[in-house]
């Protein structure tokens, strides 16, 4: 379903996880490359560890935080 002023696109933010976006979506990368998904919901990688970036492949679950991330205790 396309987004409209009456039904805006929904984006779910998760701590330590991807952004969940109601699809279909187009993601424009830093280099201007456009990646398209027609799925009803997509997970957009925010940790940049995914092998299928910009889509999440759950790599954030398998690895600990990057140096400088997470709790300093």
């Amino acid at each position: 379903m396309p987004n409209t002023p009456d039904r805006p696109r929904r984006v779910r933010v998760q701590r330590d996880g991807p952004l969940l976006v109601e699809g279909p979506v187009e993601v424009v990368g830093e280099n201007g490359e456009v990646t398209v998904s027609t799925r009803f919901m997509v997970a957009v990688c925010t940790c940049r560890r995914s092998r299928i970036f910009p889509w999440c492949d759950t790599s954030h679950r398998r690895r600990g935080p990057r140096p400088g991330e997470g709790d300093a205790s």
Side-chain angles (χ1 to χ4, degrees):
M1 176 183 295
N3 61 319
T4 65
D6 296 331
R7 188 179 185 311
R9 176 93 50 221
R10 180 169 292 175
V11 177
R12 293 187 180 125
V13 179
Q14 302 182 117
R15 181 183 304 250
D16 301 324
L19 292 175
L20 299 177
V21 183
E22 290 183 357
V25 298
E26 291 183 352
V27 174
V28 181
E30 294 175 280
N31 61 0
E33 181 180 351
V34 177
T35 307
V36 178
S37 175
T38 58
R39 297 183 63 156
F40 72 94
M41 179 74 70
V42 296
V44 179
C45 177
T46 59
C47 71
R48 301 188 73 83
R49 295 174 177 159
S50 175
R51 290 186 200 121
I52 57 170
F53 188 80
W55 315 122
C56 178
D57 67 0
T58 67
S59 291
H60 61 276
R61 293 182 190 163
R62 294 188 295 275
R63 301 178 191 164
R66 290 179 174 177
E69 290 180 353
D71 191 4
S73 57

